[in-house]
Amino acid sequence: MLALYYTRYESPLGEILLLANEQALTGVWLPGQQPDTGQLAQAVKQDRAPVLVQGCAWLDRYFCGRRPTPQELPMDPPGSDFRRRVWKRLCRIPYGHLETYGQIAREMSEPGGGKMSAQAVGGAVGHNPISLIIPCHRVVGAQGNLVGYNGGLALKRRLLKYEGVDVRQLHDPKPRGPSPKASRHEQ
């Protein structure tokens, strides 16, 4: 088993936690996101571990507007084969661009001939352990709906705005069912 290391990176968003083994990044959590406590409990703080130094340099480039790509870093996110395929696909979404869960599902289902649902893609996106670098924040729902984000919709908007996306075209998800207040007014 490979040793695990972690470091903390101070960003314009707040503190970012990076986790890596000796060969690749295994986790990146933004402020407000819950890290994998099982892995973190096994990790040793090591600011100079080569993969973590690479990860921090990547974040430096990102926050300076230099548009680094996920392919610049060795990554080994823990997850099922399906999730890893979705995360690999997310890495092809360019900086400042958006794609929908449905687009990704249609594209990923074509080669195998089977169908894939947008909800299945959404489930994998929601379990992305390497936030920001694997750009799950660039995936939106149909018609520009800003559906869930592990760090919250405000953080998702902030990241997209940082990348130059016109967030005015995006909408918060519609609430499911009437709120208790609305129900009283309807009666």
Side-chain angles (χ1 to χ4, degrees):
M1 178 174 229
L2 296 173
L4 289 173
Y5 306 105
Y6 76 92
T7 193
R8 297 179 189 284
Y9 176 89
E10 281 304 322
S11 80
L13 304 172
E15 189 175 85
I16 297 175
L17 177 66
L18 291 90
L19 182 69
N21 60 35
E22 296 160 350
Q23 300 170 348
L25 279 174
T26 60
V28 174
W29 295 275
L30 303 175
Q33 294 180 323
Q34 184 63 39
D36 181 331
T37 54
Q39 282 193 59
L40 194 55
Q42 299 172 36
V44 174
K45 183 157 178 32
Q46 179 54 267
D47 296 331
R48 302 308 312 160
V51 175
L52 294 175
V53 170
Q54 285 179 283
C56 289
W58 190 99
L59 291 169
D60 285 343
R61 289 190 305 278
Y62 179 86
F63 289 112
C64 287
R66 293 198 183 123
R67 301 179 179 211
T69 65
Q71 293 78 8
E72 295 172 27
L73 289 173
M75 293 187 287
D76 188 18
S80 68
D81 288 342
F82 172 73
R83 286 180 179 175
R84 292 169 68 92
R85 281 188 20 238
V86 171
W87 299 333
K88 185 175 181 178
R89 172 59 185 80
L90 297 181
C91 288
R92 296 190 353 235
I93 304 172
Y95 182 101
H97 289 82
L98 301 176
E99 293 190 14
T100 68
Y101 296 96
Q103 286 174 307
I104 294 168
R106 282 188 299 278
E107 179 186 313
M108 290 185 69
S109 62
E110 289 173 9
K115 295 204 179 214
M116 182 182 302
S117 72
Q119 290 81 9
V121 170
V125 170
H127 286 89
N128 173 18
I130 304 181
S131 291
L132 184 61
I133 296 171
I134 296 177
C136 55
H137 60 282
R138 297 178 189 155
V139 184
V140 297
Q143 291 87 39
N145 285 322
L146 270 179
V147 291
Y149 185 65
N150 193 4
L153 294 182
L155 180 58
K156 184 171 187 168
R157 276 184 189 282
R158 192 169 174 196
L159 290 169
L160 293 173
K161 192 173 182 181
Y162 188 84
E163 293 185 13
V165 173
D166 182 1
V167 295
R168 294 174 298 176
Q169 67 183 337
L170 302 172
H171 339 296
D172 287 342
K174 292 183 173 70
R176 294 179 186 223
S179 69
K181 204 176 232 183
S183 297
R184 284 192 296 263
H185 292 298
E186 292 173 352
Q187 293 176 348

